[in-house]
Amino acid sequence: MTAWNAEWRAASLPELASRDWDLIVVGGGICGAGILREAARRGWKCLLLEQRDFAWGTSSRSSKMVHGGLRYVAKGQFGLTRASVRERQRLLAEAPGLVEPLSFVMPHRGGFPGPRVFGGLLAVYDALAGRRNHLYYPLQQLRYLVPGLAESGLQGGTRFFDAVTDDARLVLRVLGEARADGGEALNGMRVLELLREQGRVAGLEAEDLESGQRYAFRARAVALATGAWADRLRQARGAERIRPLRGSHLLLPGWRLPLAHAISFMHPADGRPVFVFPWEGATVIGTTDLDHGEGLDQDACISAAEVDYLLQACALQFPAARIGRGDLLSTWAGVRPVVSEGEARRKPSDEKREHVLWTEPGCVTLAGGKLTTFRLLALEVLRACAEFVGRDLTDVGDPVFQPFAAPPLPALSPAQRLRLAGRHGRALPDLAQWVESLGNERVGATDTLWAELAWAAEGELVLHLDDLLLRRTRLGLLLPEGARGALPRIRALCQPLLGWDDARWMREEADYLALWRRCYSLPE
């Protein structure tokens, strides 16, 4: 494949706009990436346009979990759960090093759900997955499984398994598969309107946010996978609308609250499920579930009340750790695109998480859905688009991630090789050249290699510094003060690869640090 960077983007954009496309996908999150991937493997001429950056919205700010949705079993949503657990197993098998098993422990303290009820739910959950996946531990054993867990009223705990991922890297990996099969993807392209001819969508007009220039794109079909933005472009019919719900998280250093398992429990304030779990060498506390009333075009931010809510949850389970605001490395907040029927509003946590398709001639809008089931959602969208494109659609269950020959990388440990293979897939040979040049040195206490930063700057279409530090890597979350202390060395390595002069770098750095303080730090 040719280089995928800002220079390529600027040179290719006029030519890409002049093509006749079978399908244009709007939205660069996991659902849009999945649609592009499934279209590209079938030989469709397909292009993805993202208004900000790939995974910029919900898909870099989720709870990082690839799961079947145990809560959906309790709500009777068995079809959603069955599909989710089976897709979870596929991803675990296809993308080791990117999608990894994670064990969960639910402590039982005498309230609902007790061991018997919870075990019954897990029995259904396991049956849908086709394997037994849980076990009850009495108090004596639980002490060894989860040291430091509050013992007031504690009877025991139930352990079960789901999976965890780096959601932004998952999106980049799926896009890499799509591009390897002929798809194209551009960030920084804001779709202004759909172009309609003779009563059907025939393309769209988009603005290049880097240059300000507008382009008209023609396509036989347009798929809108814009998440919480779904109501902006489609022709609205009926009462169903997107209800943006915010989920916020806290991140603290792993040494401050070391965990081998995710701890799952109900928050006493509202009965919502809350998790404390290990991720990328750190510890996450999440999540909330609130109506997001702020504008969607700015990064969502955690509120002071949400910080208090999550710290209270952590203190109830781990009181001796005395976790407080001063321990936090960073925060993040994402907006879930939940479909609401427009009636008197339920509590946010009571809204169903089912997806819907809205169709008009030439255009299909995907609303709602889950990260775990992105492949199934993509196939459903393509089936709806096939009539407009004039193609048949069959699915034989081909893997999302094609097998590839990994280079030997002798300088790395087996765990590092697995991690890089999972996150970079078929791009690993290109990254390997940077590993050979820079070695296996990690950035600070993270698992991220300096070589990964170099490769991202050179070949992963970074347009702005927050793309590099918040999504291509997670250094802005995992290092103190958004990686401020590492910025001089990051600049020395990446500025030449990005092609930025000194004035551009200084502007990008100032914008990034202001963004981090506003949306990824504690609220003032």
Side-chain angles (χ1 to χ4, degrees):
M1 292 185 292
T2 57
W4 196 43
N5 54 31
E7 182 180 1
W8 166 86
R9 180 185 180 279
S12 301
L13 185 48
E15 190 274 327
L16 293 176
S18 70
R19 294 188 196 177
D20 286 329
W21 298 95
D22 290 326
L23 176 70
I24 296 179
V25 183
V26 182
I30 188 59
C31 291
I35 295 167
L36 187 76
R37 197 273 172 276
E38 294 300 327
R41 81 152 83 241
R42 289 164 173 80
W44 293 23
K45 292 181 290 183
C46 51
L47 168 71
L48 181 146
L49 301 178
E50 158 58 38
Q51 66 172 334
R52 295 289 290 272
D53 184 36
F54 309 118
W56 175 80
T58 312
S59 294
S60 64
R61 291 178 269 172
S62 74
S63 292
K64 320 303 181 194
M65 294 181 185
V66 178
H67 62 87
L70 181 59
R71 60 184 291 193
Y72 308 140
V73 174
K75 294 179 181 292
Q77 295 175 269
F78 298 116
L80 177 60
T81 307
R82 181 187 298 108
S84 297
V85 294
R86 293 180 179 180
E87 290 301 298
R88 178 196 68 193
Q89 294 307 117
R90 281 181 61 109
L91 290 169
L92 282 166
E94 290 183 21
L98 176 59
V99 181
E100 291 290 295
L102 179 64
S103 65
F104 287 72
V105 175
M106 167 72 85
H108 299 296
R109 301 184 186 276
F112 182 84
R116 189 180 300 274
V117 172
F118 194 64
L121 290 174
L122 285 170
V124 176
Y125 196 54
D126 291 352
L128 294 172
R131 63 176 64 191
R132 180 178 172 83
N133 215 12
H134 72 278
L135 187 65
Y136 176 76
Y137 290 83
L139 178 58
Q140 295 85 347
Q141 296 177 356
L142 190 62
R143 289 189 180 112
Y144 293 98
L145 199 66
V146 190
L149 193 63
E151 294 197 6
S152 176
L154 189 61
Q155 300 170 344
T158 303
R159 184 185 183 193
F160 61 101
F161 286 84
D162 265 316
V164 67
T165 190
D166 180 333
D167 48 0
R169 288 307 318 179
L170 179 63
V171 171
L172 266 293
R173 177 88 190 270
V174 175
L175 286 175
E177 295 289 335
R179 294 186 62 252
D181 285 347
E184 297 286 3
L186 295 169
N187 51 1
M189 296 296 297
R190 177 184 293 156
V191 175
L192 303 174
E193 63 176 331
L194 300 180
L195 302 178
R196 293 178 169 87
E197 297 177 359
Q198 300 178 346
R200 64 168 289 151
V201 173
L204 53 83
E205 183 180 9
E207 178 187 8
D208 175 13
L209 296 183
E210 298 301 295
S211 68
Q213 187 168 347
R214 295 188 176 190
Y215 295 88
F217 294 82
R218 296 191 61 82
R220 294 173 180 82
V222 173
L224 302 181
T226 52
W229 292 260
D231 288 332
R232 288 193 174 180
L233 294 172
R234 73 182 183 100
Q235 285 186 341
R237 297 185 178 90
E240 290 184 324
R241 295 289 187 274
I242 293 294
R243 182 180 181 182
L245 298 177
R246 185 173 68 248
S248 298
H249 305 77
L250 309 177
L251 190 76
L252 57 147
W255 65 265
R256 193 62 185 81
L257 184 59
L259 293 174
H261 316 275
I263 310 305
S264 173
F265 55 98
M266 302 301 179
H267 199 293
D270 56 10
R272 281 202 70 256
V274 181
F275 307 94
V276 184
F277 62 97
W279 179 73
E280 291 291 304
T283 299
V284 179
I285 309 169
T287 176
T288 58
D289 202 7
L290 302 168
D291 282 300
H292 182 69
E294 291 76 17
L296 294 174
D297 292 332
Q298 302 298 321
D299 295 59
C301 309
I302 195 170
S303 67
E306 288 174 288
V307 174
D308 291 340
Y309 174 92
L310 294 173
L311 287 176
Q312 179 192 15
C314 184
L316 288 169
Q317 298 297 324
F318 300 98
R322 298 183 179 276
I323 301 298
R325 281 175 167 75
D327 297 304
L328 300 178
L329 280 172
S330 60
T331 69
W332 75 81
V335 181
R336 307 179 185 97
V338 175
V339 180
S340 178
E341 296 178 354
E343 300 172 356
R345 286 198 165 180
R346 307 180 181 95
K347 291 191 302 182
S349 56
D350 289 338
E351 288 280 14
K352 291 186 176 181
R353 263 51 174 182
E354 299 280 7
H355 70 280
V356 297
L357 295 187
W358 293 313
T359 304
E360 61 173 299
C363 181
V364 176
T365 300
L366 170 65
K370 286 167 46 64
L371 178 151
T372 309
T373 56
F374 73 87
R375 185 187 72 91
L376 300 181
L377 297 173
L379 292 173
E380 192 170 337
V381 170
L382 290 185
R383 290 188 186 99
C385 290
E387 177 184 354
F388 307 137
V389 177
R391 292 176 179 261
D392 295 326
L393 187 84
T394 57
D395 178 51
V396 295
D398 288 336
V400 173
F401 305 109
Q402 290 291 338
F404 62 95
L409 296 171
L412 303 183
S413 69
Q416 287 176 316
R417 291 196 292 269
L418 178 63
R419 180 183 178 278
L420 293 186
R423 281 161 171 74
H424 298 277
R426 288 195 257 183
L428 189 58
D430 297 312
L431 172 60
Q433 297 178 25
W434 281 107
V435 174
E436 291 175 5
S437 173
L438 299 177
N440 64 351
E441 184 183 358
R442 299 182 301 171
V443 184
T446 73
D447 290 328
T448 302
L449 303 183
W450 284 99
E452 290 180 85
L453 270 171
W455 163 242
E458 178 186 66
E460 290 193 326
L461 199 49
V462 170
L463 299 182
H464 298 283
L465 189 56
D466 61 300
D467 302 344
L468 180 67
L469 298 181
L470 293 174
R471 287 172 291 279
R472 304 302 183 275
T473 70
R474 314 317 287 267
L475 297 176
L477 299 177
L478 296 168
L479 292 178
E481 298 184 76
R484 178 192 289 270
L487 283 176
R489 186 170 173 186
I490 293 172
R491 177 181 183 176
L493 175 65
C494 296
Q495 182 179 341
L497 298 170
L498 292 165
W500 297 348
D501 60 21
D502 289 344
R504 170 73 185 273
W505 180 275
M506 295 302 293
R507 184 169 66 252
E508 289 285 343
E509 186 173 305
D511 289 346
Y512 164 71
L513 290 173
L515 170 68
W516 187 88
R517 286 191 299 270
R518 185 172 68 250
C519 298
Y520 294 89
S521 182
L522 286 170
E524 295 180 358

